[in-house]
Amino acid sequence: MLLVGNHCGATGPVQCVLSLPRRVYPWIVVDMLDPQRIVPYLYQDFITTTLHLKGTFGWFLAKAIAKIALPLLQGLGCIAVDRYDVRFSGAFRRSMELLETGKALLIFPEDPLLPINPQTGMRPFMSGFLWLCVLYERKTGKRLPVIPIAIVPSKKSIVLGDPLVFPLLQSPREDMKRLALELEINISRLLKR
């Protein structure tokens, strides 16, 4: 199954991994699993934006966090995703191996390049991850369940929605865009509940 949720900053993915009742394999930006790129990524994406620290102390903190985070993320079996690799070939190959053995993936498809919706606290969803539904159905003849997850920071909780199974109706690209929007709307409703 795919568990798909709102990212909710740096704490959302951690909260999901710790709270869900089964092991999940999160998709994660490739920089966080690369020993050469994790420190600059943490500095840019977390230290300066979330903690509002810059300069020498910010870099020192990014290095300290990287020493803890890198082995932890590798131990969790995270799947490296490079958004600039058009095919995500490594991520899809590893994901399909896991899905075929009954494992669950955790995906946060918010587009970091787009603005946050002030009403939901989410960014619009990218749709490429839904190729997994197409590939899974082609390979197994079964539809892949997708479970929406809402991380609700004000209540420090996670709300699971009803499993969705997406039939492919038109062209895969159009269906994926439609399905990503449907997931986004579903998660927005769970956040309001």
Side-chain angles (χ1 to χ4, degrees):
M1 75 179 76
L2 297 181
L3 296 140
V4 178
N6 57 317
H7 199 279
C8 199
T11 60
V14 174
Q15 190 174 351
C16 280
V17 169
L18 294 175
S19 301
L20 291 169
R22 70 176 288 180
R23 179 163 186 193
V24 293
Y25 294 83
W27 272 24
I28 189 167
V29 64
V30 68
D31 300 36
M32 287 295 290
L33 294 174
D34 183 328
Q36 306 304 315
R37 294 168 26 186
I38 188 172
V39 173
Y41 183 82
L42 281 170
Y43 181 79
Q44 190 67 36
D45 189 64
F46 179 63
I47 301 297
T48 60
T49 57
T50 303
L51 301 180
H52 306 291
L53 298 173
K54 294 184 179 180
T56 306
F57 183 70
W59 281 104
F60 172 78
L61 189 56
K63 288 176 187 174
I65 292 171
K67 284 184 180 182
I68 297 166
L70 183 61
L72 177 66
L73 294 171
Q74 290 170 334
L76 288 172
C78 293
I79 300 165
V81 177
D82 184 350
R83 73 176 282 150
Y84 299 105
D85 173 4
V86 179
R87 297 181 164 232
F88 296 151
S89 56
F92 278 107
R93 191 176 318 109
R94 178 73 179 128
S95 296
M96 286 300 294
E97 289 169 1
L98 292 166
L99 290 170
E100 288 176 56
T101 60
K103 305 289 192 273
L105 303 182
L106 178 61
I107 299 176
F108 302 97
E110 291 181 58
D111 188 337
L113 302 178
L114 296 177
I116 293 174
N117 178 327
Q119 293 176 330
T120 63
M122 294 189 314
R123 298 175 193 275
F125 282 8
M126 295 180 279
S127 60
F129 72 98
L130 287 166
W131 269 113
L132 290 169
C133 294
V134 176
L135 295 171
Y136 187 82
E137 186 170 347
R138 285 179 184 168
K139 183 135 190 183
T140 67
K142 300 175 187 171
R143 293 203 172 131
L144 182 63
V146 180
I147 300 175
I149 299 175
I151 301 164
V152 187
S154 62
K155 299 197 179 193
K156 296 182 182 174
S157 65
I158 296 172
V159 180
L160 300 176
D162 294 327
L164 304 170
V165 180
F166 295 120
L168 300 174
L169 304 172
Q170 301 168 8
S171 72
R173 287 190 200 289
E174 292 306 310
D175 288 335
M176 290 185 329
K177 287 178 187 174
R178 179 183 46 79
L179 304 176
L181 182 59
E182 189 176 332
L183 271 168
E184 191 178 327
I185 291 167
N186 201 304
I187 292 169
S188 296
R189 288 182 186 140
L190 291 172
L191 285 168
K192 291 176 185 174
R193 222 192 304 176

